[in-house]
Amino acid sequence: MVVRELAGGWEGARAPVTVLRSGVYMAFDHGLYAGIAPGGGGQADGGGQADRGGQADRGGQADRGGQAGDGERPGDGTPPGPALEPALELWAHVLSRPEPGLALACAGRRDVGFDAGLPVPLRFRKPGGQLVPAAGSHVSALDDQHAYVRLPPGSDLAPGDLVCLGVSHPCTTFDKWRVIPVVDDGYHVIDAVHTFF
């Protein structure tokens, strides 16, 4: 709608060149937009808690004010939208386990957007490549270079393991990286996206 309005009807003048800047059209997310987009389903992929001021419960389901999980917004007649899939992940090494139930990961405010919610742990990668769901885990805080990953009792996450984090609000993650690798389903790098912010 914005592009249509800006591109047409400039009486007596040339219409400006319209540039779409948003990152979510390209990468969707695991947080803010997953919880509000038609067809988004309001789910965080790994069962972790998205810390968005209480907007997600421990099962990863966003509190959408009673909205149905099929993408339809009850009461406004909006038809269900397509189911969109998140396409941006941030991988970070576990640096330490300073206390039971806590891991410090090497990703912070300089690496991931946090204006619309904290990153969501999706899965862990163990030595040897084994991927395990991050169920019951959530990021409770970020500082400049660290994520505070809260873990369920008995978690064997260890320094050197990798944490896959889903982002909330891709735009403010894109502007932190000049080059973003594109990977296939096996996590082999097949391309790169250059960002210009």
Side-chain angles (χ1 to χ4, degrees):
M1 182 170 112
V2 172
V3 172
R4 182 183 70 227
E5 293 298 318
L6 289 175
W10 289 80
E11 255 183 71
R14 282 183 17 186
V17 175
T18 305
V19 177
L20 183 62
R21 182 214 162 268
S22 171
V24 77
Y25 79 96
M26 188 172 143
F28 203 52
D29 78 350
H30 292 90
L32 174 69
Y33 296 109
I36 63 173
Q43 295 188 20
D45 204 34
Q49 176 182 2
D51 185 348
R52 298 191 314 269
Q55 293 181 357
D57 66 19
R58 291 220 175 260
Q61 298 290 326
D63 176 0
R64 298 167 45 187
Q67 293 179 357
D70 64 2
E72 186 172 343
R73 288 181 263 181
D76 72 1
T78 303
L84 302 174
E85 292 186 31
L88 183 62
E89 299 173 347
L90 176 67
W91 286 82
H93 283 95
V94 173
L95 299 174
S96 70
R97 289 287 310 267
E99 61 188 59
L102 176 63
L104 297 182
C106 186
R109 293 182 191 139
R110 296 180 186 196
D111 306 302
V112 65
F114 56 92
D115 63 313
L118 295 175
V120 179
L122 303 175
R123 59 194 153 276
F124 304 130
R125 185 174 190 267
K126 306 299 280 176
Q130 177 191 13
L131 294 174
V132 294
S137 302
H138 70 278
V139 173
S140 62
L142 293 174
D143 60 25
D144 278 354
Q145 297 176 333
H146 303 100
Y148 294 74
V149 182
R150 298 295 172 175
L151 304 167
S155 173
D156 67 350
L157 196 66
D161 291 350
L162 292 172
V163 178
C164 177
L165 298 168
V167 302
S168 183
H169 197 189
C171 303
T172 56
T173 297
F174 281 147
D175 69 2
K176 298 176 185 321
W177 297 90
R178 298 186 86 175
V179 178
I180 298 174
V182 177
V183 298
D184 63 16
D185 289 341
Y187 287 102
H188 300 99
V189 176
I190 58 171
D191 203 350
V193 172
H194 294 265
T195 63
F196 301 95
F197 284 90

